[in-house]
Amino acid sequence: METNDPCWPVGFRAYTGNGGLRAHGAGDDLSIVASDRPSVSAAMFTRSRFAGPAVVLSRAHAVGGRLRAVTTLAQNANVATGRQGEENAAEVVGRVAALLGVPADAVLIGSTGVIGRPLPMAAIRTHLEATAERGTAAFEARPVDVARAMMTTDTRPKTSARSVGGARIVGVAKGVGMLEPNMATMLAYLFTDAELSHAELDAALRSAVEKTFNCLSVDTDTSTSDTVAALANGAAGPVDLAAFSAALDEVCLDLTQQLASDGEGASKLLRVTVAQAADYAQAKRVAKSVVNSPLVKTAVHGADPNWGRVVMAIGKNTEDTDIEPAKVTVRFGETEVYPAEPAADTLEKLAETMRQDEVDIAIGLGIGAATATVYGCDLTEGYIRVNADYTT
């Protein structure tokens, strides 16, 4: 594992600044990451029926697999803003493309934050014009700077990096609420100087997303702006494809767990593993029912080893008629709590297990050989405070 303050892969450079979305002095809110040479790309987007203009535009640009740059606006999702929102997203993309000297359809745009408010275009225009005057001298931001500029209610920037052969993969991500993936989730961008074909990168990304970001949930709510994209510019030459895929999986898993542990108001990372399932889909479905249960999440927050809430959540999967209580096992950490209910003198040990920063719940269904792990967090008063006051 590399440092959480990595450098960009060869050929990538980045810019961050305050474009008027946050109050001045409150930090950067606009970022651009670009490759100085042609690249191949792959991307996945939210399936929400209220997908924002940034997603609609970026989905069209991603089709060709030739994206060279990603720009992100924080604090404003530019969703449910009608025709004006579409025009504003297109204008931002056009201005960033002109600044970089690349075609507009080589730029992906992400926009995240409050829904239903127009972008402050006058401030954004002024900022991008000033940035264009500075030229390449403005592109000095590190991955951690970009991750910080993307933040909304996140409490810390999220980056990850791995080396593979002579190449590197660097990822940045944001998102801690309105987080239940339905293809990708939140905003996550992956940059590599490995030489890959579009098909190879696309397959690697989809496989990684299914095992990581698509196994993440904070509050069961799918965002209107979810985007995951990967850009590969080939500057470091070819790499072993299997090794690259494994490294990409590691970066995505690292980012997934960072996102889960920073869930709005969260104090703990919650991992739920379901084994002995009929297939992966069943394992993941049952695990999600547990990690998303408000009663399980509050028990984890209170360090209450109430295994009854876990079996309740398993039982909600009423169409999985092959689940039989007599075959199911449940463990908190290394201790079995069902069917072998722990003795009274082990309850304090269990409570101590659940007081840790990371809590693991393991379930065996006794049906087959498939396994899935999902990632979430506890539910605290902090989540209510953040979201009760989100726009006020």
Side-chain angles (χ1 to χ4, degrees), residues 150-182:
M150 291 163 54
M151 290 167 38
T152 49
T153 55
D154 304 62
T155 67
R156 53 187 180 269
K158 298 157 186 74
T159 67
S160 185
R162 297 292 187 279
S163 296
V164 53
R168 297 175 62 252
I169 305 170
V170 173
V172 297
K174 65 79 55 183
V176 290
M178 196 186 289
L179 203 52
E180 163 80 29
N182 189 9

Side-chain angles (χ1 to χ4, degrees), residues 19-90:
L21 293 105
R22 299 189 211 276
H24 284 286
D28 292 346
D29 52 31
L30 187 154
S31 63
I32 303 168
V33 184
S35 171
D36 62 10
R37 54 189 286 166
S39 58
V40 299
S41 63
M44 300 173 70
F45 302 92
T46 182
R47 296 172 62 189
S48 169
R49 299 306 303 163
F50 254 89
V55 167
V56 174
L57 184 60
S58 293
R59 187 183 286 135
H61 288 186
V63 170
R66 296 291 176 183
L67 296 170
R68 282 186 58 174
V70 174
T71 186
T72 304
L73 306 177
Q75 296 299 106
N76 188 316
N78 188 28
V79 170
T81 48
R83 179 61 181 169
Q84 189 62 55
E86 297 172 7
E87 293 175 356
N88 289 344

Side-chain angles (χ1 to χ4, degrees), residues 268-355:
K268 302 175 185 178
L269 169 66
L270 172 58
R271 276 186 298 260
V272 179
T273 299
V274 171
Q276 302 170 357
D279 53 32
Y280 178 78
Q282 181 185 56
K284 181 176 174 182
R285 182 166 58 248
V286 174
K288 277 290 190 73
S289 72
V290 175
V291 85
N292 279 330
S293 165
L295 290 176
V296 171
K297 290 160 75 71
T298 50
V300 169
H301 177 59
D304 179 13
N306 189 343
W307 57 264
R309 294 182 175 182
V310 176
V311 298
M312 171 280 298
I314 297 170
K316 291 192 296 185
N317 295 277
T318 55
E319 294 185 3
D320 289 278
T321 56
D322 51 351
I323 296 178
E324 299 178 19
K327 296 180 181 179
V328 172
T329 60
V330 179
R331 296 197 319 273
F332 288 174
E334 298 299 321
T335 304
E336 184 173 307
V337 295
Y338 176 85
E341 185 174 357
D345 61 359
T346 64
L347 288 178
E348 177 54 35
K349 175 185 175 184
L350 281 170
E352 182 60 30
T353 295
M354 297 187 70
R355 290 189 191 104

Side-chain angles (χ1 to χ4, degrees), residues 58-236:
S58 293
R59 187 183 286 135
H61 288 186
V63 170
R66 296 291 176 183
L67 296 170
R68 282 186 58 174
V70 174
T71 186
T72 304
L73 306 177
Q75 296 299 106
N76 188 316
N78 188 28
V79 170
T81 48
R83 179 61 181 169
Q84 189 62 55
E86 297 172 7
E87 293 175 356
N88 289 344
E91 181 180 344
V92 171
V93 165
R95 287 178 176 273
V96 169
L99 186 158
L100 297 172
V102 301
D105 62 5
V107 177
L108 178 146
I109 180 173
S111 198
T112 176
V114 177
I115 291 172
R117 294 183 179 175
L119 290 172
M121 288 304 297
I124 292 172
R125 288 185 192 108
T126 298
H127 183 80
L128 288 176
E129 287 168 0
T131 304
E133 291 178 2
R134 293 176 60 195
T136 57
F139 282 73
E140 299 178 342
R142 297 173 64 87
V144 69
D145 300 323
V146 171
R148 185 175 291 109
M150 291 163 54
M151 290 167 38
T152 49
T153 55
D154 304 62
T155 67
R156 53 187 180 269
K158 298 157 186 74
T159 67
S160 185
R162 297 292 187 279
S163 296
V164 53
R168 297 175 62 252
I169 305 170
V170 173
V172 297
K174 65 79 55 183
V176 290
M178 196 186 289
L179 203 52
E180 163 80 29
N182 189 9
M183 66 78 235
T185 182
M186 72 301 132
L187 300 180
Y189 307 130
L190 305 146
F191 306 94
T192 181
D193 48 12
E195 183 180 320
L196 301 161
S197 70
H198 164 66
E200 290 170 337
L201 183 62
D202 185 69
L205 179 66
R206 291 178 183 279
S207 176
V209 166
E210 180 60 22
K211 293 177 286 189
T212 59
F213 297 131
N214 263 358
C215 289
L216 168 65
S217 182
V218 167
D219 52 20
T220 81
D221 285 334
T222 297
S223 172
T224 57
S225 304
D226 294 344
T227 301
V228 173
L231 278 65
N233 68 12

Side-chain angles (χ1 to χ4, degrees), residues 230-276:
L231 278 65
N233 68 12
V239 296
D240 179 81
L241 185 57
F244 176 84
S245 296
L248 186 67
D249 288 351
E250 290 181 8
V251 169
C252 292
L253 179 58
D254 186 9
L255 291 173
T256 295
Q257 295 190 95
Q258 290 184 55
L259 292 163
S261 65
D262 194 29
E264 288 177 336
S267 66
K268 302 175 185 178
L269 169 66
L270 172 58
R271 276 186 298 260
V272 179
T273 299
V274 171
Q276 302 170 357

Side-chain angles (χ1 to χ4, degrees), residues 271-275 283 287 360-364 371-375:
R271 276 186 298 260
V272 179
T273 299
V274 171
D360 287 276
I361 297 175
I363 298 159
T371 300
T373 300
V374 302
Y375 309 88

